[in-house]
Amino acid sequence: MSENTIPGVDDYDGPAGGWGALGAVARALSGQMAIARESIALHKVNQPQGFDCPGCAWPDPKETSSFEFCENGAKAVSWEATAKRVRPEFFAKNTVADLWNLSDYTLEGLGRITYPMAYDRTSDTYRPIAWEEAFRRIGTALRALPDPDMAEFYTSGRASNEAAFLYQLFVREFGTNNFPDCSNMCHEATSVGLPQSIGVGKGTVVLEDFEHCDAIFCIGHNPGTNHPRMLSTLREASLRGVPIVVLNPLPERGLERFTSPQHPVEMLTGKSTRIASTYYKLKIGGDVAVLKGMMKAVLTADERAVAAGMPRVIDHAFIEAHTSGFEALVEDVANTSWAAIERASGLTRAQVEDAADIYAKAKNVIVCYGMGITQHVHGTENVQQIANLLLLRGNIGRRGAGICPLRGHSNVQGDRTVGITEKPTDALNDGIRATYGFEPPAAHGHDAVAAVIAIREGRSRALVALGGNLAVAMPDTTETFEAMAKLDLAVHIATKLNRSHLILAKESFILPCLGRTELDVQATGPQSVTVEDSMSMVHASAGTLTPASEHLRSEPWIIGGIAKATLPATRVDWDRLVGDYNLIRDDIEKVFPIFRDFNRRVNVPGGFRLPVAASEREWATPDRRARFLVAPGLDEDPPLETGGLMLTTLRSHDQYNTTIYGLNDRYRGVSGRRDVVFMHANDLSARGLKHGDRIDIFATGANVADGKERAVRGFVAVAYDIAEGSVAMYYPEGNALIALESHDRRSGTPAYKSVPVNIEASTVRTAAPARPKAEHAA
Ligand SMILES: Nc1nc2c(c(=O)[nH]1)N[C@H]1C(S)=C(S)[C@@H](COP(=O)(O)OP(=O)(O)OC[C@H]3O[C@@H](n4cnc5c(=O)[nH]c(N)nc54)[C@H](O)[C@@H]3O)O[C@H]1N2
Ligand SMILES: Nc1nc2c(c(=O)[nH]1)N[C@H]1C(S)=C(S)[C@@H](COP(=O)(O)OP(=O)(O)OC[C@H]3O[C@@H](n4cnc5c(=O)[nH]c(N)nc54)[C@H](O)[C@@H]3O)O[C@H]1N2
Ligand SMILES: [Mo]
């Protein structure tokens, strides 16, 4: 780092985990939680009788394991179980115009919403409203739409299977498949790409496979922050001597070394375990080049082995018996030059060959990946190149081997399984018709990008959001905010206040719900819900804490209320289902036969695994084979302009998506601020800039193809050990740079991780997003 100093920016020398993590938990708890609630809450996380951690979707170790320590899990729990409240009296004293001026961090930090609220235009405040009155007005507004396809029904992936199932049932009976979903911004490239490759859009490994693998590749994910319990798994593998190869443009501490708070000796001696055996800092968007380069090296080694009469390097028997498309892949890889691979990846041929060598020498390989792979213009192709690499040596459908997408929200995968999809299959619609006797809509609906564009163009007039913070999570902050301000109806089912709630429709409602940590009592008594983790394990979750307010209702209850008020002739007995979630599970089983014997199996500790055909080497593809799929070319994204840089947007250690827990990013050495841009020293000096300078960032290429300027200004340049030509800043601060149209062509996943930019010395000092033209505000 250069000699200049920036307040709040320093080098972080420690490992991931360790005492720093314990200290951070203590601070999170003392800042947010009442002591009485805290002691109960943390001990019930991911326990057989407790609630599923609302943090990430990494699976739990063993059926009856003891509580696994996790700093960011503790933050997620304490953030929900906070003692702070935002009450009707607070809303009465603060106009929406005032609230807009608070930061995202402050807004959510106000605490749990306690009462249903409706916007009142005369006073520019949210006012309390009785539940039944809110439902009546929402039902009237939805029924007033000329066409059900003019409403959008968003889901954020924290919703339980039971809530999500009722939600899709209501929306389909209402008559639309407009299901924008947080998954559309996240692993949609997986959901679209993997079914074409291996017949299923989910990971093929289970946790136990990590005990039997001989090499792990971690591509484009940051487990120290986003899936911290995964570090225990990686630590065990490292201690077994398993090579762990990382491909990431940034040096992420959690992937370098880890001190396990579970292991007293490491804690007391200050020792840490190395995680990555090799760390390749590739260029942003260089993944296809590295993956093709590795395949090229493997295929070359195989040719040599054949010529020398040695055992083959590829698994030829598997390829013959189980796959199609191999010849086309060989041809594509042969046509890809090493010069092109080096240029696009930023790595040398020798480095790529070394990675390939580790891959080829390991009998069983697991490849893990996250948003660094999916959130690109060619996200789907990226995912498919990973599948190609694994298939070359039969690394799918075998113990200790497979593909491992790290899912986002704790139940995003489950929500999709129980019907949150804009493209219903015939089987789904048949199941609904047979179970409920109404005709579900067949026409495909909107995903997240299509939904916001429809709202922008006035084709959609209503938004119902089951959780989340859609306006802030989406690209193009300015346009998305302006679009949302045109709605006739906005309904937010939420636990905490966020900026999406402050973008006003003609009628706006905030409906506060129970969180996963809280006791949910319905007509037949306390209820449990179910969730599905990244490895297709389904298990129960039952809240134990006293609800934050007596006026809160569960998500299923709220959905039932809206459904009854919207659909006077409904075919669904909402009260019966809401009164006993076992009956919802019985219905899930009727519509989705894979949930066979659901209520019994979910009560077994640890739950059960949903079938993943590819794990058994059954390929649900058109030709019943796993398919090598060729992606032409190497440049994931349009080439940069001369002097341009490629920007990626990422999460700090103190955030959960748009929820900002704090202003620190400990492992990257940042404290008390988020207005930073990480840059290579050479990229700074090439622009006459130095560490600490204020800079403005201008989108180029595809993100300004419509002729509009997209820029964020007044950020601070931080010299960082990032790949040259690549720069990084936090999400959502960077979202204003990305056009809604800049997304993966095949899956619609926004290209949040490949944003071509120019960077210049700053001319201004503010960075806050502007309030949209408030059409419906006072
Ligand atoms: N505490 C916490 N936990 C979370 C979340 C959270 O915000 N906070 N969010 C949840 C959700 S919804 C999700 S989707 C997951 C997200 O989990 P991750 O996928 O880990 O999320 P990101 O922070 O977006 O970081 C992705 C990583 O990709 C790297 N990267 C960026 N561009 C590229 C590239 O072009 N190639 C490669 N190879 N790498 C690249 C970045 O340096 C970063 O290390 O975590 C979930 N868990
Ligand atoms: N630039 C950039 N943008 C991104 C990303 C990126 O990497 N870069 N990542 C994308 C990804 S992967 C995702 S998943 C999306 C996330 O998009 P979302 O899922 O829409 O966003 P969150 O920030 O997770 O939503 C937070 C809000 O959820 C509500 N909430 C919390 N718990 C509950 C609950 O139990 N029930 C209900 N009903 N509400 C609850 C609270 O009101 C809180 O304010 O963002 C995407 N946006
Ligand atoms: Mo996500």
Side-chain angles (χ1 to χ4, degrees):
M1 204 167 272
S2 87
E3 63 287 0
N4 289 40
T5 59
I6 308 176
V9 178
D10 210 341
D11 291 331
Y12 176 78
D13 296 327
W19 293 107
L22 284 186
V25 171
R27 281 191 298 281
L29 297 185
S30 61
Q32 283 293 330
M33 271 169 108
I35 293 300
R37 283 162 68 95
E38 157 202 332
S39 50
I40 319 167
L42 281 180
H43 287 98
K44 294 276 183 178
V45 187
N46 290 354
Q47 290 296 295
Q49 301 307 319
F51 48 82
D52 182 67
C53 180
C56 71
W58 185 253
D60 301 319
K62 291 262 160 45
E63 291 183 357
T64 52
S65 93
S66 61
F67 167 62
E68 243 201 306
F69 169 84
C70 168
E71 174 190 347
N72 280 355
K75 284 187 209 155
V77 171
S78 62
W79 194 253
E80 179 173 302
T82 175
K84 295 187 186 171
R85 300 286 180 272
V86 45
R87 296 196 164 85
E89 300 82 66
F90 176 87
F91 282 107
K93 276 190 243 137
N94 293 276
T95 63
V96 170
D98 292 337
L99 294 176
W100 186 269
N101 293 326
L102 303 178
S103 68
D104 293 349
Y105 169 53
T106 312
L107 281 177
E108 273 215 35
L110 293 170
R112 293 287 298 277
I113 306 164
T114 62
Y115 207 91
M117 308 296 292
Y119 179 67
D120 169 59
R121 198 167 168 168
T122 353
S123 60
D124 187 33
T125 57
Y126 269 103
R127 294 274 185 89
I129 181 170
W131 280 105
E132 289 309 318
E133 175 63 5
F135 293 153
R136 195 190 56 73
R137 282 175 52 189
I138 294 165
T140 306
L142 285 173
R143 271 183 285 126
L145 293 171
D147 183 338
D149 287 334
M150 295 178 78
E152 304 290 345
F153 295 88
Y154 177 64
T155 314
S156 171
R158 208 175 266 196
S160 64
N161 289 336
E162 289 72 11
F165 179 78
L166 289 191
Y167 191 56
Q168 63 82 36
L169 187 60
F170 155 58
V171 173
R172 294 202 157 96
E173 194 178 19
F174 176 65
T176 183
N177 281 315
N178 284 346
F179 284 108
D181 175 19
C182 73
S183 182
N184 300 142
M185 300 176 242
C186 184
H187 265 291
E188 196 64 29
T190 299
S191 304
V192 169
L194 283 188
Q196 295 169 359
S197 290
I198 59 169
V200 58
K202 299 181 177 184
T204 65
V205 298
V206 291
L207 202 47
E208 206 194 298
D209 285 313
F210 284 84
E211 293 165 23
H212 302 285
C213 68
D214 305 302
I216 301 172
F217 286 74
C218 291
I219 313 185
H221 69 103
N222 182 22
T225 289
N226 298 319
H227 304 90
R229 286 178 295 119
M230 184 189 191
L231 291 189
S232 308
T233 306
L234 293 176
R235 176 180 177 277
E236 295 294 324
S238 165
L239 291 174
R240 276 200 299 121
V242 171
I244 300 176
V245 180
V246 174
L247 291 170
N248 197 311
L250 272 78
E252 305 286 26
R253 183 48 44 91
L255 288 165
E256 293 176 336
R257 53 186 204 274
F258 174 51
T259 295
S260 170
Q262 236 91 276
H263 291 82
V265 176
E266 275 194 357
M267 289 296 276
L268 290 173
T269 56
K271 286 215 176 85
S272 58
T273 305
R274 69 98 188 137
I275 299 293
S277 51
T278 325
Y279 204 120
Y280 295 112
K281 265 181 256 133
L282 83 173
K283 277 193 201 170
I284 291 170
D287 300 276
V288 162
V290 177
L291 291 162
K292 283 198 185 178
M294 286 174 67
M295 289 191 269
K296 191 176 176 75
V298 168
L299 289 167
T300 308
D302 184 64
E303 276 167 30
R304 287 205 196 104
V306 171
M310 306 275 288
R312 296 198 66 158
V313 179
I314 60 171
D315 185 343
H316 199 253
F318 171 82
I319 292 171
E320 286 282 296
H322 285 281
T323 71
S324 60
F326 178 63
E327 291 73 21
L329 180 89
V330 173
E331 193 188 322
D332 176 59
V333 165
N335 290 337
T336 310
S337 74
W338 279 111
I341 291 169
E342 290 189 325
R343 183 172 33 77
S345 69
L347 303 183
T348 63
R349 173 176 176 170
Q351 286 174 313
V352 177
E353 284 175 338
D354 284 348
D357 196 47
I358 295 170
Y359 173 76
K361 290 214 166 96
K363 183 165 176 302
N364 301 312
V365 177
I366 296 176
V367 178
C368 308
Y369 68 93
M371 298 298 101
I373 282 291
T374 60
Q375 293 174 333
H376 289 276
V377 175
H378 291 184
T380 299
E381 279 95 338
N382 284 352
V383 169
Q384 293 177 340
Q385 295 308 310
I386 295 179
N388 288 346
L389 176 68
L390 287 167
L391 290 172
L392 276 184
R393 286 182 40 83
N395 272 312
I396 292 189
R398 174 147 71 64
R399 194 174 79 159
I403 192 158
C404 179
L406 290 145
R407 301 303 296 229
H409 269 295
S410 50
N411 196 41
V412 60
Q413 187 162 317
D415 292 347
R416 299 303 291 256
T417 305
V418 300
I420 302 294
T421 168
E422 74 282 4
K423 299 187 210 95
T425 58
D426 290 344
L428 166 56
N429 279 350
D430 292 346
I432 288 179
R433 197 182 300 109
T435 310
Y436 299 101
F438 68 82
E439 188 56 41
H444 289 180
H446 295 152
D447 64 7
V449 166
V452 175
I453 291 178
I455 294 172
R456 180 180 76 189
E457 293 172 358
R459 286 182 282 116
S460 285
R461 313 276 335 156
L463 169 71
V464 178
L466 180 58
N469 188 2
L470 179 62
V472 178
M474 285 297 285
D476 210 336
T477 315
T478 312
E479 272 202 23
T480 300
F481 284 10
E482 277 172 16
M484 299 288 182
K486 293 184 184 165
L487 287 163
D488 290 338
L489 173 71
V491 180
H492 297 281
I493 302 169
T495 51
K496 292 202 164 184
L497 187 62
N498 66 45
R499 196 165 301 281
S500 293
H501 310 161
L502 304 180
I503 305 178
L504 300 166
K506 219 174 265 168
E507 289 196 273
S508 298
F509 299 88
I510 306 175
L511 306 181
C513 63
L514 297 172
R516 202 180 277 174
T517 57
E518 291 166 323
L519 195 61
D520 178 0
V521 182
Q522 300 296 340
T524 56
Q527 306 295 318
S528 65
V529 294
T530 60
V531 294
E532 176 184 341
D533 67 28
S534 263
M535 296 180 186
S536 306
M537 298 292 301
V538 178
H539 57 92
S541 168
T544 50
L545 302 185
T546 311
S549 149
E550 57 178 325
H551 305 292
L552 303 186
R553 295 292 181 269
S554 76
E555 291 174 333
W557 187 90
I558 295 170
I559 293 160
I562 298 177
K564 285 190 290 174
T566 309
L567 308 167
T570 179
R571 304 292 291 265
V572 180
D573 188 344
W574 297 98
D575 289 338
R576 188 171 153 272
L577 292 175
V578 170
D580 181 355
Y581 296 179
N582 283 320
L583 302 179
I584 306 181
R585 286 186 280 275
D586 286 344
D587 277 14
I588 293 179
E589 181 177 341
K590 282 184 206 141
V591 176
F592 302 99
I594 49 167
F595 283 91
R596 177 182 55 78
D597 213 2
F598 193 2
N599 273 307
R600 187 189 60 77
R601 287 198 295 162
V602 84
N603 280 320
V604 176
F608 62 94
R609 183 164 190 239
L610 288 172
V612 176
S615 302
E616 316 301 325
R617 293 199 166 174
E618 283 165 25
W619 319 102
T621 56
D623 64 1
R624 299 276 148 202
R625 286 172 167 262
R627 295 154 80 210
F628 289 101
L629 296 170
V630 169
L634 279 189
D635 289 320
E636 280 190 307
D637 301 292
L640 289 175
E641 293 175 9
T642 321
L645 296 163
M646 192 61 94
L647 171 89
T648 196
T649 56
L650 20 95
R651 292 156 170 81
S652 81
H653 194 60
D654 272 4
Q655 89 183 69
Y656 195 93
N657 299 336
T658 70
T659 294
I660 311 299
Y661 299 132
L663 301 177
N664 301 342
D665 191 8
R666 194 168 72 249
Y667 300 148
R668 299 194 188 111
V670 176
S671 58
R673 61 194 310 163
R674 292 177 52 88
D675 58 348
V676 293
V677 177
F678 301 104
M679 296 178 71
H680 193 278
N682 294 349
D683 291 326
L684 282 173
S685 55
R687 283 161 191 74
L689 295 167
K690 54 187 188 321
H691 181 69
D693 280 355
R694 289 269 168 186
I695 53 173
D696 296 342
I697 303 116
F698 299 91
T700 64
N703 287 307
V704 292
D706 59 2
K708 291 191 186 147
E709 185 189 73
R710 288 185 176 81
V712 295
R713 300 165 203 267
F715 282 71
V716 173
V718 170
Y720 204 72
D721 189 16
I722 186 173
E724 205 169 335
S726 299
V727 294
M729 67 189 294
Y730 297 126
Y731 137 57
E733 284 81 349
N735 291 36
L737 293 165
I738 307 162
L740 283 164
E741 283 73 11
S742 172
H743 54 75
D744 177 13
R745 291 289 151 239
R746 290 164 65 188
S747 73
T749 314
Y752 297 120
K753 296 277 191 281
S754 42
V755 190
V757 295
N758 284 327
I759 289 185
E760 295 170 13
S762 181
T763 50
V764 291
R765 298 182 73 86
T766 59
R771 195 176 181 205
K773 275 195 290 337
E775 302 195 5
H776 304 297

